[in-house]
Amino acid sequence: MSEVNYFKEEFGENYRTEICDYITDEKIEDILAAAEAPDKKEVQRIIDKALELNGITPLEAATLLQVEDENLIDQFLEAARKVKEEIYGKRLVIFAPLYFANQCVNNCLYCGFRKDNNQLDRKKLSQQEIRNEVEALEREGHKRLLVLTGEAPITDLDYVVESIKTAYDVKTENGGEIRRINAEIAPLSTEDFKKLKESEIGTYTCFQETYNRKQYAKLHPSGPKSNFEWRLSVMDRAQEAGIDDVGIGALFGLYDYKFDVIGMLLHAEYLDKKWGVGPHTVSVPRLNPALGTPLDEVPYPVSDADFRKLVAVLRLAVPYTGMILSTRESTEMRNELFEHGVSQISAGSRTTPGGYDKKAKNKEELAQFSLHDLRPIDEIISGIAEDGYIPSFCTACYRLGRTGKDFMDLAKPGKIQEFCRPNAMLTFKEYLQDYGTETSRKHGKQCLSDLMDRLEADNPKLAANIADKLDAIAEGEHDLYL
Ligand code: SAM
Ligand code: SF4
């Protein structure tokens, strides 16, 4: 099928072209201009407001982004640390990306999967290859997956739905199974989102890449993705179809990071007003080099210092929203960003279809972009526990129907800690029991014992319940949660 026909058949009359006027270049530029040369007192007021855990407005966030004074920056980095700790404690949710295929009709200038990249070997995993990948991931201890594809007729929605079912059906020894699959695939129509919802996905994620329409047009010269409005309006269609956990993001490095942070916050504000619930997650990927792409350099490089700053501002602005960081970042940077706001990370990731199955031939020629943190999952887990964080494989909220607004209603009064911390402990214990090495077990034991001491002090009844469940897991029980 030609690209044009594919486009028409896929989206037909429903293909939306009207302007989503809640986010415009002018609006974002005006907010940034109004926040220029911030006054010290105003910055302090905003930091105090953020510490009340009710978020800050896009204009207040822009004011923090415009701060250059190192002392003031340190103050809001510290405030973000407190907000993170207050709401999430030391929990870090762990997941793995799983690429089903790398064919794509789009031509995003930065992506190795782009249609015109002749240097890339194309690969669509068969259902058996997907089983092999998922078995390999389960045997490393993964319970949560993010599935991805390019956008192409050969990997249409039926293929994606069948592949998700295949992945959920894979069971391995030690209770190995995937308990939540999130999806990051090209924007769908409402009707197609209804079909996707039936495959029991958790969160639907789609990055706007950049919220600047002019830059977006330059970076996305052809294919369905060149339509900015169709992409920006995607979460309305997901919500219309009943998918109430949605994830947004920008690819930092494509445009001015301040502009894109404000774009993300306006997007979050719009979704909150329209659907009564903001995004479930925000992602903060930074552009990495990809083979066979015309972008020789990052158009708007984001320094580590600016990246730290933007993560902190997002944490203060949307305190209850999960923040996702991938293995695009180095170990050191990831460790730092856990402090300032990140609450979910990928581990042991590969961006190649077929990248996990050790028996299959490898594969870097198939990758979407290169990665920095290539450590195996157990080493990552071990390091996280040693630093006093709890790796969590929890999937309880989604499986108990605590999604969308129900999740946020629980999260906002701080209730989520009562579930998240114990569930993190239970799933971490299960991981250590079934997949841990000597080193991760050593660090994990210490981490769990410190947490139990704290839980006993905060809530003795809950602590007793969790102690019983931890004993049951040590005896071989699986999948215990609150
Ligand atoms: N193809 C779909 C799309 O573009 O929405 C689905 C997911 S695509 C495989 C996932 C994301 O990878 C993109 O949204 C983009 O932000 C990111 N990406 C592409 N090239 C990248 C690069 N060179 N460095 C970092 N992230 C990149
Ligand atoms: Fe295709 Fe997505 Fe890569 Fe763009 S970012 S070329 S749409 S896979």
Side-chain angles (χ1 to χ4, degrees):
M1 202 186 306
S2 79
E3 190 184 306
V4 173
N5 284 342
Y6 159 70
F7 204 26
K8 275 199 184 137
E9 275 191 26
E10 210 37 27
F11 303 115
E13 293 305 308
N14 294 327
Y15 182 65
R16 191 190 302 225
T17 49
E18 74 255 29
I19 303 286
C20 303
D21 61 2
Y22 45 90
I23 300 178
T24 61
D25 293 0
E26 294 68 32
K27 209 177 249 182
I28 298 176
E29 273 152 15
D30 287 352
I31 290 175
L32 286 170
E36 247 171 42
D39 170 75
K40 195 170 170 186
K41 267 205 189 133
E42 174 62 359
V43 172
Q44 241 126 20
R45 183 196 67 77
I46 296 170
I47 294 174
D48 290 343
K49 178 179 171 190
L51 286 168
E52 290 167 15
L53 308 182
N54 294 317
I56 56 176
T57 65
L59 177 60
E60 289 166 337
T63 307
L64 296 187
L65 289 171
Q66 300 285 32
V67 172
E68 296 295 341
D69 176 328
E70 293 293 332
N71 275 337
L72 282 177
I73 294 177
D74 283 348
Q75 281 184 37
F76 73 71
L77 289 178
E78 178 55 21
R81 203 187 52 71
K82 284 194 185 134
V83 167
K84 159 92 200 293
E85 177 94 28
E86 183 90 7
I87 295 176
Y88 293 87
K90 290 284 193 180
R91 181 190 64 119
L92 268 181
V93 171
I94 310 287
F95 71 94
L98 172 59
Y99 283 75
F100 286 150
N102 64 10
Q103 287 83 356
C104 196
V105 296
N106 293 310
N107 244 325
C108 313
L109 296 194
Y110 45 84
C111 177
F113 291 177
R114 68 195 303 266
K115 181 179 166 222
D116 288 353
N117 180 5
N118 301 324
Q119 296 174 40
L120 185 84
D121 289 337
R122 301 291 167 169
K123 174 83 187 161
K124 170 188 170 187
L125 297 185
S126 67
Q127 298 308 305
Q128 185 53 48
E129 285 169 323
I130 291 171
R131 261 176 235 119
N132 297 345
E133 289 286 275
V134 177
E135 279 178 11
L137 285 162
E138 287 180 1
R139 290 195 171 116
E140 301 219 301
H142 280 290
K143 299 282 185 276
R144 301 172 63 112
L145 297 184
L146 171 69
V147 299
L148 306 101
T149 58
E151 177 166 18
I154 188 176
T155 54
D156 62 6
L157 185 62
D158 289 342
Y159 167 76
V160 172
V161 166
E162 185 189 2
S163 303
I164 290 174
K165 183 173 180 334
T166 299
Y168 270 131
D169 284 346
V170 175
K171 309 284 172 204
T172 46
E173 59 287 344
N174 288 330
E177 61 180 351
I178 298 304
R179 298 177 184 156
R180 173 172 177 144
I181 297 182
N182 297 331
E184 187 173 338
I185 59 171
L188 301 173
S189 65
T190 306
E191 282 317 300
D192 280 350
F193 270 125
K194 286 183 187 156
K195 276 195 226 159
L196 183 66
K197 184 178 163 57
E198 279 168 24
S199 67
E200 299 188 357
I201 59 152
T203 307
Y204 169 73
T205 296
C206 180
F207 303 159
Q208 192 58 31
E209 319 297 11
T210 173
Y211 286 87
N212 184 280
R213 282 177 173 76
K214 290 186 210 81
Q215 181 71 348
Y216 187 95
K218 282 191 208 151
L219 295 165
H220 304 96
S222 63
K225 191 162 165 181
S226 59
N227 190 321
F228 181 95
E229 313 303 330
W230 174 252
R231 195 165 180 92
L232 186 54
S233 55
V234 64
M235 299 311 174
D236 290 334
R237 298 190 297 278
Q239 289 278 1
E240 275 158 20
I243 297 177
D244 57 359
D245 278 347
V246 298
I248 63 172
L251 183 51
F252 287 101
L254 292 181
Y255 193 61
D256 173 21
Y257 77 91
K258 295 179 186 172
F259 188 103
D260 280 329
V261 169
I262 301 307
M264 275 165 87
L265 293 178
L266 288 175
H267 198 176
E269 188 177 76
Y270 164 79
L271 293 173
D272 200 6
K273 277 195 191 132
K274 171 120 195 213
W275 297 101
V277 58
H280 189 69
T281 55
V282 292
S283 293
V284 289
R286 248 193 315 186
L287 187 61
N288 269 10
L291 276 179
T293 58
L295 273 193
D296 299 331
E297 328 188 307
V298 175
Y300 289 78
V302 182
S303 68
D304 287 352
D306 286 341
F307 199 45
R308 217 175 280 130
K309 198 167 146 183
L310 80 85
V311 164
V313 170
L314 283 169
R315 177 43 66 231
L316 297 175
V318 284
Y320 297 97
T321 303
M323 198 188 303
I324 303 182
L325 190 72
S326 75
T327 41
R328 292 169 178 90
E329 296 298 330
S330 69
T331 312
E332 296 70 35
M333 196 64 206
R334 274 159 54 109
N335 288 348
E336 244 193 85
L337 298 176
F338 298 162
E339 286 271 314
H340 300 303
V342 166
S343 61
Q344 299 194 18
I345 57 161
S346 50
S349 309
R350 296 292 172 265
T351 62
T352 45
Y356 296 109
D357 179 7
K358 295 193 178 66
K359 294 186 293 302
K361 270 199 268 135
N362 245 335
K363 276 153 227 159
E364 281 317 301
E365 323 76 75
L366 309 183
Q368 187 192 19
F369 51 82
S370 61
L371 299 172
H372 283 138
D373 188 347
L374 290 167
R375 293 171 301 162
I377 175 175
D378 195 72
E379 207 178 312
I380 295 181
I381 297 284
S382 196
I384 289 173
E386 195 180 1
D387 291 341
Y389 290 93
I390 338 162
S392 175
F393 297 86
C394 179
T395 53
C397 280
Y398 148 75
R399 287 157 83 209
L400 293 171
R402 295 192 295 248
T403 61
K405 194 168 178 318
D406 291 345
F407 173 83
M408 284 299 167
D409 287 347
L410 206 61
K412 287 192 176 160
K415 281 269 182 203
I416 209 76
Q417 269 288 19
E418 281 177 31
F419 296 97
C420 292
R421 185 166 46 165
N423 282 336
M425 291 170 72
L426 296 173
T427 54
F428 185 30
K429 173 79 179 172
E430 192 180 338
Y431 170 84
L432 293 171
Q433 191 77 16
D434 295 335
Y435 308 99
T437 57
E438 203 181 314
T439 320
S440 61
R441 283 189 182 147
K442 186 176 108 205
H443 296 310
K445 196 170 166 195
Q446 185 59 49
C447 167
L448 286 173
S449 144
D450 293 347
L451 285 163
M452 193 44 115
D453 289 347
R454 241 182 292 157
L455 196 57
E456 269 162 5
D458 293 351
N459 187 340
K461 207 168 146 202
L462 181 59
N465 178 2
I466 296 305
D468 285 347
K469 288 194 162 60
L470 289 173
D471 287 345
I473 293 169
E475 296 294 318
E477 272 203 50
H478 285 96
D479 203 14
L480 301 181
Y481 55 89
L482 304 178

